[in-house]
Each structure stands twice: as C-alpha cells, then as structure tokens.
Amino acid sequence: MKSSHGTFAAIVWIVAGALLYNTEPEAKLFSWQTPVFFVLGMFAAGAILGNLSYAGVRGLTHALVSTKIVTAPTRRAQIGLTVVGYFIFALQVAFIYLVAKWTIRVMFQVDGPF
C-alpha cells in the first residue's frame, strides 16, 4: 500500500506538471528547470507527498479504530474506509497540483506564488 501512494503522487506530479507547463506562460519547456522539475520533482513527490498521504491514511485508520468508530472488519467498515481513502487521494491530487504550481512559479520567478 505504501508504494501505491508514492507511485500515485509521482504520476499526479507529472500530469499536473504537464498541465501547468501548458498553461503557465512563464514556464519554458526548453530550459534547465524542466528536467529538474519533472525528474527531481517526481521523486520528491513520490517520497515526500506519497509518504505523507500514506501516514494520513494509516493515522486516520488508527484513529477510527481507537475511537471505536470501526470495531470489527465488517463489509460496512471496509466500504467506509475505502471511501475515506478515495477522499484522501482527491485531497492529495489538489495538494500536489498546488505544490507543483508553486514550484513552477518559484523556479521561473513569477510574481506571487499562486
């Protein structure tokens, strides 16, 4: 499960970066920043943001069990945890997009981070 969070974060980083390179007028495809953004960013997103997402899912699961909201491995609990997992993945997509946008703006020295 941990590797899937990192892989998902790396893929989202690449897709968000491609969209941002297409929409941000200051981003130049043929520059030294492009390979740094995509290669280093992909590994950093996978390692940092993927592990952060994994820790969030594990922490939330532990909190639900500790507070006795989930008491047994029932079908209902499994469905609820799956929905929560998808919600966390959606939040991760939004967060990675914002981090990628901030990174491009910092790398190309655009006025204001957002």
Side-chain angles (χ1 to χ4, degrees):
M1 184 169 134
K2 190 173 188 178
S3 65
S4 66
H5 285 269
T7 303
F8 181 76
I11 291 170
V12 170
W13 181 268
I14 291 170
V15 171
L19 291 172
L20 288 167
Y21 262 81
N22 192 34
T23 58
E24 293 290 323
E26 294 82 9
K28 294 174 181 42
L29 186 60
F30 298 108
S31 65
W32 67 268
Q33 291 100 329
T34 301
V36 170
F37 175 82
F38 281 104
V39 175
L40 275 131
M42 177 182 62
F43 288 112
I48 297 168
L49 300 174
N51 282 332
L52 185 64
S53 172
Y54 176 74
V57 168
R58 296 289 293 176
L60 183 62
T61 304
H62 181 69
L64 289 174
V65 170
S66 294
T67 58
K68 307 238 188 279
I69 294 173
V70 176
T71 57
T74 62
R75 178 84 173 136
R76 183 176 173 203
Q78 181 184 12
I79 291 170
L81 291 175
T82 301
V83 169
V84 169
Y86 287 139
F87 182 69
I88 289 176
F89 274 121
L91 289 174
Q92 184 181 8
V93 168
F95 185 67
I96 290 172
Y97 177 82
L98 291 174
V99 169
K101 187 172 186 173
W102 176 82
T103 304
I104 285 178
R105 291 188 168 233
V106 167
M107 288 178 76
F108 290 100
Q109 298 297 315
V110 179
D111 295 334
F114 296 103

